[in-house]
Amino acid sequence: MDFIAFLANGFIELFKAGATTFMGWVTGIIPLVVVLMTAVSALIKLVGEERVYSVAQKATKYTITRYTIVPVLAVIFLANPMCYTFGRFVEEKYKPAFYDAAVSFVHPVTGLFPHANGG
């Protein structure tokens, strides 16, 4: 009977750990991402969507800038996970590779700039 109680307790503890993680997200990363998304959208509206997309298209036109400079700047300025939203400026056929480049740059950048970890 003690073994069954031990298993049941372990099962509940697993969900308690998940709930603790979820509450950390609710009070930490989720509000940060919402505020960043709002600020970036407001900035785009203030500057003008056509201008922003024009500059972004020029910045992502070349392979070297699309997969190095733009992802690094996105991670530094917007932090993880908001940096992936820069993919909206990349042509549809390049989005998977842009995402891969951004994911690859998260760890080196967060090692140098701890603020870029987002939470």
Side-chain angles (χ1 to χ4, degrees):
M1 197 55 141
D2 288 337
F3 181 71
I4 293 173
F6 173 77
L7 288 178
N9 189 38
F11 184 74
I12 292 300
E13 290 299 319
L14 175 70
F15 288 95
K16 284 183 180 177
T20 301
T21 301
F22 178 71
M23 285 306 296
W25 289 349
V26 168
T27 60
I29 193 76
I30 292 174
L32 175 66
V33 170
V34 168
V35 170
L36 276 169
M37 286 172 57
T38 304
V40 169
S41 293
L43 184 64
I44 290 171
K45 294 289 183 191
L46 287 171
V47 172
E49 286 189 46
E50 296 80 25
R51 288 184 192 152
V52 172
Y53 278 98
S54 174
V55 169
Q57 289 295 319
K58 289 175 185 167
T60 60
K61 181 179 178 182
Y62 301 104
T63 304
I64 192 78
T65 57
R66 181 173 50 241
Y67 300 130
T68 56
I69 296 169
V70 174
V72 169
L73 290 176
V75 173
I76 290 172
F77 289 110
L78 295 180
N80 184 27
M82 184 65 185
C83 62
Y84 308 121
T85 62
F86 263 41
R88 75 191 234 184
F89 301 120
V90 179
E91 287 184 50
E92 198 65 35
K93 64 183 177 181
Y94 299 129
K95 285 183 182 188
F98 175 84
Y99 175 79
D100 184 49
V103 167
S104 298
F105 283 122
V106 167
H107 294 293
V109 171
T110 56
L112 297 171
F113 306 102
H115 79 279
N117 200 23

